[in-house]
């Protein structure tokens, strides 16, 4: 799989490796030697610890980063609810505000919105659980057309897995800068502050916010030590800071799906050095090493898992991030598209570009989505079935120019009011167009003519 070629250059530097311990300093000598919190940190900086897990979490699960900054993150005014009613309406995961329905759902492409910035362009489309209990997940769409000003945003609810579909995000985080483009993904952990500017105009995409745990690479089991997403291909930012004597900033907090804001008289982006294993990172989906069957039948779609967030039950995920990139199909005597199935997991799919090979009817388009909830039957549409059933089974490249993905979860997800009604993108005849045209092919050998 070739590395994705981008039109927009990336001016920033990165460190490589997933879940690695990194240390980085924007000024030589800013990292203390031998201590995390010396009596006086170098250059008059403040030492501060950013914890992504409990202090006593097992060593292999523990996530923490020590930062050395000009002023502590605590130096701000009190938070107050900001636009509470409207924000809560488009972000709530309260059970009585979500629609839990067994119908297969599909959405037309979501609109761009040039009137709002990143913070005000977030909309919950589906979710489950409770961020106050650190359980479950939320699935969001974002659409924005304005830069954030002297502002910063963080989510106390969970880790943001950002999947761009259109446009470029220039993300200035406390720990360094990231350029994010379609066909790349980025994870910004719970609590990390950042601002988003748009160097190429309006943006649109998808987010899976993880209330429970953190994203990690899937275990490879019998696959061995290589393939799928390789740890060396993940990139983390290097330290970069603003030095502003006096500057008014607005700090937004997403706290239990409610938006709060506070004022502070200095930049949030003043971390001169840091070390640890809790940080934002990005990954180019073009580097994913696809595997598949070279005999007959085909493995479960779990072979396309880029990142996973395990639940307390081994092998069952709060969220899996799965992609369907360009790949070769060579299996003999096999119906090659995904089979018809009912799944105990919920499957939310999106399309970054191109056409998804299991949906040929034109209803699943880039910037659109579909949801097949727990045990909701689905599979190839009638056109895909007929084509695959009668195709000559020679080696075939599928998905050229395409990238589809799936957020898969053990949770039954509810659809928000915005997702079901307000956005006005739900296709009312999805089921009828996809599976009603399926023809009966059964020939009963015991039935008399």
């Amino acid at each position: 799989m070739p590395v994705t070629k981008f039109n927009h250059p990336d001016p920033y530097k990165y460190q490589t490796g997933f879940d690695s311990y990194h240390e980085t300093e924007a000024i030589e000598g800013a990292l203390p030697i031998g201590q995390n919190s010396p009596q006086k940190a170098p250059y008059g900086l403040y030492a501060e610890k950013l914890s992504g897990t409990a202090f006593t979490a097992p060593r292999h699960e523990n996530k923490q980063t020590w930062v050395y900054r000009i002023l502590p993150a605590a130096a701000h005014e009190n938070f107050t609810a900001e636009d509470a009613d409207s924000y809560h309406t488009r972000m709530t995961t309260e059970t009585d505000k979500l629609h839990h329905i067994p119908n297969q759902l599909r959405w037309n492409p979501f609109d761009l919105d040039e009137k709002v910035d990143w913070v005000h362009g977030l909309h919950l489309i589906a979710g489950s659980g409770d961020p106050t209990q650190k359980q479950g997940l939320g699935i969001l769409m974002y659409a924005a057309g304005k830069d954030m000003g002297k502002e910063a945003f963080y989510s106390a609810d969970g880790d943001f897995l950002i999947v761009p579909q259109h446009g470029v995000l220039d993300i200035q985080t406390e720990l360094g800068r990231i350029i994010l483009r379609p066909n790349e993904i980025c994870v910004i952990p719970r609590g990390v502050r950042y601002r988003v500017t748009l160097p190429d105009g309006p943006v649109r995409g998808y987010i899976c916010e993880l209330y429970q745990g953190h994203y990690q690479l899937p275990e490879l089991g019998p696959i061995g030590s290589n393939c799928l997403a390789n740890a060396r291909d993940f990139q983390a930012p290097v330290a970069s800071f603003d030095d502003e004597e006096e500057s008014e900033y607005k700090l937004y907090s997403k706290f239990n799906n409610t938006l709060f804001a506070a004022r502070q008289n200095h930049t949030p982006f003043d971390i001169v050095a840091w070390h640890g294993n809790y940080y934002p990172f990005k990954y180019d989906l073009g580097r994913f090493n696809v595997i598949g069957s070279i005999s007959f039948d085909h493995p479960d779609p779990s072979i396309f898992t880029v990142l996973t967030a395990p639940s307390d039950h081994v092998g069952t995920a709060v969220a899996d991030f799965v992609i369907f990139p360009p790949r070769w199909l060579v299996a003999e005597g096999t119906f090659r598209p995904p089979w018809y199935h009912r799944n105990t997991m919920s499957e939310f799919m999106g399309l970054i570009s191109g056409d998804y090979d299991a949906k040929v009817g034109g209803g699943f388009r880039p910037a659109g989505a579909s949801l097949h909830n727990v045990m909701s039957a689905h599979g190839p549409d009638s056109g895909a079935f007929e084509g695959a059933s009668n195709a000559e089974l020679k080696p075939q490249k599928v998905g050229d120019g395409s990238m589809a993905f799936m957020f898969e979860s053990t949770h039954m997800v509810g659809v928000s009011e915005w997702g079901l009604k307000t956005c006005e993108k739900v296709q009312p005849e999805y089921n009828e167009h996809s599976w009603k045209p399926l023809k009966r092919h059964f020939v009963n050998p015991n039935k008399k003519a």
Side-chain angles (χ1 to χ4, degrees):
M1 186 64 55
V3 176
T4 310
K5 293 181 173 61
F6 299 108
N7 294 324
H8 194 288
D10 189 336
Y12 302 133
K13 296 179 181 179
Y14 300 92
Q15 308 166 91
T16 59
F18 184 86
D19 207 22
S20 303
Y21 179 93
H22 288 309
E23 59 179 44
T24 171
E25 53 188 11
I27 297 177
E28 186 176 357
L31 282 174
I33 297 174
Q35 282 187 275
N36 293 323
S37 182
Q39 184 179 17
K40 289 186 177 182
Y43 301 113
L45 297 171
Y46 287 85
E48 179 177 283
K49 187 179 182 182
L50 179 61
S51 297
T53 53
F55 299 143
T56 52
R59 183 181 290 267
H60 70 280
E61 296 177 0
N62 205 290
K63 290 189 175 293
Q64 60 176 356
T65 289
W66 281 94
V67 304
Y68 303 91
R69 63 191 316 155
I70 298 171
L71 284 169
H76 58 73
E77 297 177 1
N78 283 339
F79 282 99
T80 56
E82 172 106 349
D83 251 352
D85 291 338
S86 64
Y87 193 82
H88 198 64
T89 298
R90 55 189 170 90
M91 295 302 296
T92 183
T93 49
E94 293 177 20
T95 303
D96 61 345
K97 302 287 180 63
L98 296 176
H99 302 269
H100 293 85
I101 52 180
N103 292 333
Q104 306 96 331
L105 295 174
R106 190 162 70 185
W107 288 265
N108 288 319
F110 293 92
D111 294 330
L112 294 167
D113 189 345
E114 300 187 20
K115 302 184 298 296
V116 298
D117 62 14
W118 172 263
V119 177
H120 299 91
L122 300 173
H123 290 84
L124 184 83
I125 189 168
S128 177
D130 184 350
T132 69
Q133 299 297 314
K134 295 185 178 176
Q135 295 176 341
L137 75 164
I139 298 172
L140 298 82
M141 302 298 302
Y142 71 83
K146 295 170 59 178
D147 293 343
M148 292 176 65
K150 288 200 168 185
E151 301 166 320
F153 170 84
Y154 75 91
S155 175
D157 294 342
D159 293 5
F160 266 37
L161 167 57
I162 304 170
V163 185
Q165 186 277 323
H166 177 86
V168 178
L169 304 176
D170 191 334
I171 306 173
Q172 181 181 16
T173 82
E174 294 178 277
L175 302 176
R177 296 172 178 265
I178 292 174
I179 281 283
L180 189 64
R181 302 157 290 195
N183 232 47
E184 293 180 324
I185 60 168
C186 173
V187 171
I188 301 184
R190 182 197 309 267
V192 172
R193 298 173 180 182
Y194 63 98
R195 69 188 289 265
V196 177
T197 56
L198 314 177
D200 277 359
V203 296
R204 175 177 56 195
Y206 313 81
I207 297 169
C208 188
E209 184 174 20
L210 184 64
Y211 306 149
Q212 182 174 346
H214 299 288
Y215 290 102
Q216 63 186 54
L217 293 176
E219 300 296 340
L220 294 179
I223 295 173
S225 57
N226 297 295
C227 295
L228 309 190
N230 290 311
R232 69 182 291 255
D233 293 324
F234 287 80
Q235 298 178 298
V238 300
S240 172
F241 71 98
D242 294 339
D243 184 7
E244 302 174 2
E245 293 284 344
E246 289 285 335
S247 190
E248 184 81 6
Y249 267 81
K250 190 173 187 178
L251 176 62
Y252 290 104
S253 173
K254 179 178 178 291
F255 202 89
N256 190 24
N257 281 320
T258 300
L259 188 65
F260 291 84
R263 297 283 178 179
Q264 63 182 60
N265 63 0
H266 60 96
T267 174
F269 307 108
D270 64 352
I271 293 176
V272 180
W274 60 267
H275 67 88
N277 65 352
Y278 189 64
Y279 46 75
F281 59 85
K282 77 168 187 172
Y283 175 73
D284 177 357
L285 298 179
R287 293 178 181 266
F288 188 81
N289 191 357
V290 182
I291 65 173
S293 173
I294 54 173
S295 55
F296 61 89
D297 285 345
H298 52 117
D300 295 325
S302 49
I303 61 169
F304 300 115
T305 302
V306 180
L307 294 170
T308 186
S311 70
D312 295 336
H313 187 73
V314 176
T316 302
V318 178
D320 281 332
F321 175 62
V322 180
I323 64 172
F324 302 96
R327 60 204 183 277
W328 282 93
L329 302 181
V330 299
E332 298 178 318
T334 298
F335 182 76
R336 290 178 173 175
W339 55 84
Y340 295 98
H341 63 291
R342 291 169 292 165
N343 193 353
T344 187
M345 308 282 278
S346 298
E347 302 178 18
F348 178 93
M349 286 196 66
L351 187 59
I352 298 170
S353 61
D355 295 299
Y356 178 50
D357 51 291
K359 292 284 187 290
V360 299
F364 186 48
R365 306 303 304 156
S370 67
L371 173 63
H372 304 128
N373 225 320
V374 173
M375 289 302 173
S376 294
H378 57 287
D381 58 30
S382 58
F385 174 81
E386 295 297 337
S389 298
N390 297 291
E392 180 184 357
L393 292 184
K394 56 186 179 181
Q396 176 190 11
K397 183 77 174 287
V398 298
D400 258 342
S402 174
M403 182 65 75
F405 73 87
M406 179 166 64
F407 299 143
E408 187 176 56
S409 175
T410 187
H411 289 264
M412 178 183 291
V413 298
V415 183
S416 70
E417 184 74 9
W418 183 89
L420 192 63
K421 299 176 183 178
T422 309
C423 71
E424 299 182 339
K425 296 298 179 182
V426 173
Q427 298 177 7
E429 298 178 342
Y430 171 43
N431 185 311
E432 182 175 348
H433 285 168
S434 294
W435 300 292
K436 188 175 181 179
L438 289 168
K439 300 176 182 177
R440 177 186 171 102
H441 295 285
F442 177 58
V443 178
N444 187 344
N446 299 319
K447 187 175 182 179
K448 295 181 180 179

